[in-house]
Amino acid sequence: MSRPPDRRSQILETAAELFAARGFHGVSVADLGAACGISGPALYKHFDSKQAMLAEMLVSISEELLRVGRQRVADAGDPAAALAGLVDWHVDFALRHRPLIVVQDRDWESLPEDARERVRSLQREYVDLWAAELRLLDPALALDTARAMAHAAFGLINSTPHSGLLPDDRMRDLLSRMTLGALR
Protein backbone atom coordinates (compact mmCIF):
# COMPACT_ATOMS: atom_id res chain seq x y z
CA MET A 1 0.00 0.00 0.00
CA SER A 2 1.51 3.34 -1.03
CA ARG A 3 1.45 6.43 1.14
CA PRO A 4 -0.40 9.50 -0.04
CA PRO A 5 1.94 12.27 -1.19
CA ASP A 6 2.99 14.79 1.46
CA ARG A 7 1.66 18.35 1.36
CA ARG A 8 4.83 19.73 -0.23
CA SER A 9 4.61 17.18 -3.06
CA GLN A 10 0.92 17.97 -3.56
CA ILE A 11 1.74 21.67 -3.87
CA LEU A 12 4.48 20.95 -6.42
CA GLU A 13 2.16 18.74 -8.45
CA THR A 14 -0.55 21.41 -8.46
CA ALA A 15 1.98 24.10 -9.34
CA ALA A 16 3.27 21.99 -12.26
CA GLU A 17 -0.25 21.64 -13.63
CA LEU A 18 -0.93 25.36 -13.31
CA PHE A 19 2.45 26.40 -14.74
CA ALA A 20 1.94 24.01 -17.66
CA ALA A 21 -1.53 25.40 -18.36
CA ARG A 22 -0.79 29.12 -17.93
CA GLY A 23 2.97 29.56 -17.76
CA PHE A 24 5.06 30.41 -14.71
CA HIS A 25 4.35 34.13 -14.98
CA GLY A 26 0.65 33.54 -15.60
CA VAL A 27 0.15 31.97 -12.17
CA SER A 28 0.10 34.06 -9.00
CA VAL A 29 0.84 32.89 -5.48
CA ALA A 30 -2.86 33.49 -4.74
CA ASP A 31 -3.78 31.22 -7.68
CA LEU A 32 -1.47 28.51 -6.36
CA GLY A 33 -2.84 28.77 -2.86
CA ALA A 34 -6.45 28.63 -4.06
CA ALA A 35 -5.71 25.55 -6.18
CA CYS A 36 -4.12 23.90 -3.14
CA GLY A 37 -6.98 24.85 -0.81
CA ILE A 38 -4.92 27.31 1.24
CA SER A 39 -4.20 31.01 1.16
CA GLY A 40 -1.42 32.25 -1.09
CA PRO A 41 0.71 33.41 1.84
CA ALA A 42 0.34 29.98 3.48
CA LEU A 43 2.49 28.58 0.65
CA TYR A 44 5.43 30.36 2.24
CA LYS A 45 5.27 27.78 5.04
CA HIS A 46 6.42 25.26 2.45
CA PHE A 47 8.49 27.29 -0.04
CA ASP A 48 10.46 30.54 0.12
CA SER A 49 9.03 31.76 -3.18
CA LYS A 50 7.30 30.77 -6.39
CA GLN A 51 10.76 30.54 -7.98
CA ALA A 52 11.83 28.15 -5.21
CA MET A 53 8.88 25.93 -6.17
CA LEU A 54 9.95 25.95 -9.80
CA ALA A 55 13.54 25.19 -8.83
CA GLU A 56 12.61 22.25 -6.61
CA MET A 57 10.24 20.96 -9.27
CA LEU A 58 12.81 20.95 -12.07
CA VAL A 59 15.84 19.92 -10.02
CA SER A 60 13.94 17.01 -8.47
CA ILE A 61 12.76 15.65 -11.83
CA SER A 62 16.31 15.81 -13.17
CA GLU A 63 17.56 13.98 -10.08
CA GLU A 64 14.85 11.34 -10.45
CA LEU A 65 15.55 10.77 -14.16
CA LEU A 66 19.25 10.25 -13.44
CA ARG A 67 18.75 8.11 -10.31
CA VAL A 68 16.27 5.74 -11.90
CA GLY A 69 18.20 5.73 -15.18
CA ARG A 70 21.35 4.62 -13.36
CA GLN A 71 19.36 1.90 -11.60
CA ARG A 72 17.92 0.66 -14.89
CA VAL A 73 21.44 0.39 -16.34
CA ALA A 74 22.73 -1.35 -13.22
CA ASP A 75 19.87 -3.87 -13.31
CA ALA A 76 20.32 -4.66 -17.01
CA GLY A 77 22.26 -7.70 -18.13
CA ASP A 78 23.74 -6.10 -21.24
CA PRO A 79 23.83 -2.80 -23.16
CA ALA A 80 20.75 -3.65 -25.27
CA ALA A 81 18.73 -4.39 -22.12
CA ALA A 82 20.10 -1.22 -20.50
CA LEU A 83 19.03 0.89 -23.48
CA ALA A 84 15.58 -0.72 -23.48
CA GLY A 85 15.34 -0.01 -19.74
CA LEU A 86 16.31 3.62 -20.25
CA VAL A 87 13.75 4.05 -23.02
CA ASP A 88 11.05 2.33 -20.97
CA TRP A 89 11.84 4.55 -17.98
CA HIS A 90 11.87 7.80 -19.92
CA VAL A 91 8.65 6.98 -21.79
CA ASP A 92 6.94 6.07 -18.52
CA PHE A 93 8.16 9.29 -16.93
CA ALA A 94 6.98 11.40 -19.88
CA LEU A 95 3.52 9.86 -19.84
CA ARG A 96 3.12 10.28 -16.08
CA HIS A 97 4.55 13.80 -15.88
CA ARG A 98 3.31 15.68 -18.92
CA PRO A 99 3.00 19.01 -17.07
CA LEU A 100 6.61 18.85 -15.88
CA ILE A 101 7.85 18.39 -19.43
CA VAL A 102 5.89 21.46 -20.55
CA VAL A 103 7.19 23.51 -17.61
CA GLN A 104 10.80 22.41 -18.20
CA ASP A 105 10.54 23.42 -21.84
CA ARG A 106 8.64 26.67 -21.51
CA ASP A 107 9.65 28.15 -18.15
CA TRP A 108 13.38 27.40 -18.21
CA GLU A 109 14.32 31.08 -18.20
CA SER A 110 12.35 31.67 -14.97
CA LEU A 111 14.53 29.19 -13.12
CA PRO A 112 17.06 30.79 -10.75
CA GLU A 113 20.62 30.57 -12.11
CA ASP A 114 21.91 28.17 -9.42
CA ALA A 115 19.02 25.78 -10.06
CA ARG A 116 19.51 26.13 -13.82
CA GLU A 117 23.16 25.09 -13.42
CA ARG A 118 22.18 22.13 -11.22
CA VAL A 119 19.59 20.96 -13.77
CA ARG A 120 22.10 21.34 -16.61
CA SER A 121 24.67 19.29 -14.71
CA LEU A 122 22.16 16.52 -13.96
CA GLN A 123 20.93 16.52 -17.54
CA ARG A 124 24.49 16.21 -18.87
CA GLU A 125 25.00 13.16 -16.64
CA TYR A 126 21.72 11.67 -17.87
CA VAL A 127 22.67 12.23 -21.50
CA ASP A 128 26.07 10.66 -20.86
CA LEU A 129 24.40 7.64 -19.25
CA TRP A 130 22.47 7.05 -22.47
CA ALA A 131 25.50 7.84 -24.64
CA ALA A 132 27.63 5.29 -22.78
CA GLU A 133 25.11 2.52 -23.45
CA LEU A 134 24.83 3.52 -27.12
CA ARG A 135 28.62 3.36 -27.44
CA LEU A 136 28.71 -0.07 -25.81
CA LEU A 137 26.26 -1.22 -28.49
CA ASP A 138 28.34 0.43 -31.21
CA PRO A 139 31.98 1.01 -30.16
CA ALA A 140 32.65 2.95 -33.38
CA LEU A 141 30.11 5.59 -32.33
CA ALA A 142 31.74 8.92 -31.42
CA LEU A 143 30.76 10.43 -28.08
CA ASP A 144 29.32 13.59 -29.62
CA THR A 145 27.19 11.48 -31.98
CA ALA A 146 25.97 9.28 -29.11
CA ARG A 147 25.03 12.40 -27.15
CA ALA A 148 23.17 13.82 -30.16
CA MET A 149 21.30 10.52 -30.50
CA ALA A 150 20.28 10.67 -26.83
CA HIS A 151 19.00 14.23 -27.25
CA ALA A 152 17.05 13.22 -30.36
CA ALA A 153 15.48 10.33 -28.43
CA PHE A 154 14.48 12.71 -25.63
CA GLY A 155 12.91 15.02 -28.22
CA LEU A 156 10.81 12.17 -29.56
CA ILE A 157 9.74 10.97 -26.13
CA ASN A 158 9.21 14.44 -24.69
CA SER A 159 6.86 15.36 -27.53
CA THR A 160 4.27 13.37 -25.56
CA PRO A 161 2.50 16.34 -23.93
CA HIS A 162 1.85 17.78 -27.36
CA SER A 163 1.27 14.64 -29.38
CA GLY A 164 -0.21 12.14 -26.94
CA LEU A 165 -3.25 11.53 -29.09
CA LEU A 166 -3.52 7.85 -28.18
CA PRO A 167 -4.44 6.23 -24.89
CA ASP A 168 -1.37 5.94 -22.64
CA ASP A 169 -0.86 2.19 -23.14
CA ARG A 170 -0.81 2.57 -26.92
CA MET A 171 1.29 5.75 -26.72
CA ARG A 172 3.78 3.96 -24.45
CA ASP A 173 4.17 1.13 -26.96
CA LEU A 174 4.44 3.51 -29.92
CA LEU A 175 7.03 5.78 -28.28
CA SER A 176 9.11 2.83 -27.08
CA ARG A 177 9.14 1.13 -30.49
CA MET A 178 9.90 4.36 -32.34
CA THR A 179 12.67 5.41 -29.96
CA LEU A 180 14.38 2.02 -29.93
CA GLY A 181 14.06 1.85 -33.71
CA ALA A 182 15.62 5.28 -34.12
CA LEU A 183 18.49 4.49 -31.74
CA ARG A 184 19.34 1.17 -33.39
Side-chain angles (χ1 to χ4, degrees), residues 124 127-128 131 134 141-152 154:
R124 278 190 296 270
V127 166
D128 283 345
L134 288 166
L141 198 60
L143 180 57
D144 62 344
T145 301
R147 285 175 174 153
M149 290 171 69
H151 280 287
F154 301 158

Side-chain angles (χ1 to χ4, degrees), residues 71-150:
Q71 190 60 54
R72 293 288 178 108
V73 168
D75 292 345
D78 58 61
L83 186 62
L86 287 169
V87 169
D88 179 64
W89 159 239
H90 201 104
V91 168
D92 181 64
F93 183 90
L95 290 172
R96 286 185 300 110
H97 298 291
R98 285 176 171 96
L100 290 173
I101 292 170
V102 172
V103 171
Q104 163 82 26
D105 185 48
R106 187 182 51 217
D107 294 315
W108 176 256
E109 290 302 318
S110 298
L111 199 57
E113 186 59 35
D114 61 330
R116 204 175 312 153
E117 284 305 313
R118 177 72 177 136
V119 170
R120 277 190 192 114
S121 174
L122 291 162
Q123 288 176 344
R124 278 190 296 270
E125 288 183 64
Y126 188 59
V127 166
D128 283 345
L129 181 69
W130 282 63
E133 295 308 311
L134 288 166
R135 292 181 77 208
L136 288 171
L137 285 169
D138 180 359
L141 198 60
L143 180 57
D144 62 344
T145 301
R147 285 175 174 153
M149 290 171 69

Side-chain angles (χ1 to χ4, degrees), residues 19-49:
F19 294 166
R22 300 191 299 206
F24 178 78
H25 294 293
V27 178
S28 70
V29 172
D31 294 333
L32 284 167
C36 294
I38 58 177
S39 71
L43 288 172
Y44 294 117
K45 269 177 44 178
H46 302 279
F47 298 93
D48 291 339
S49 65

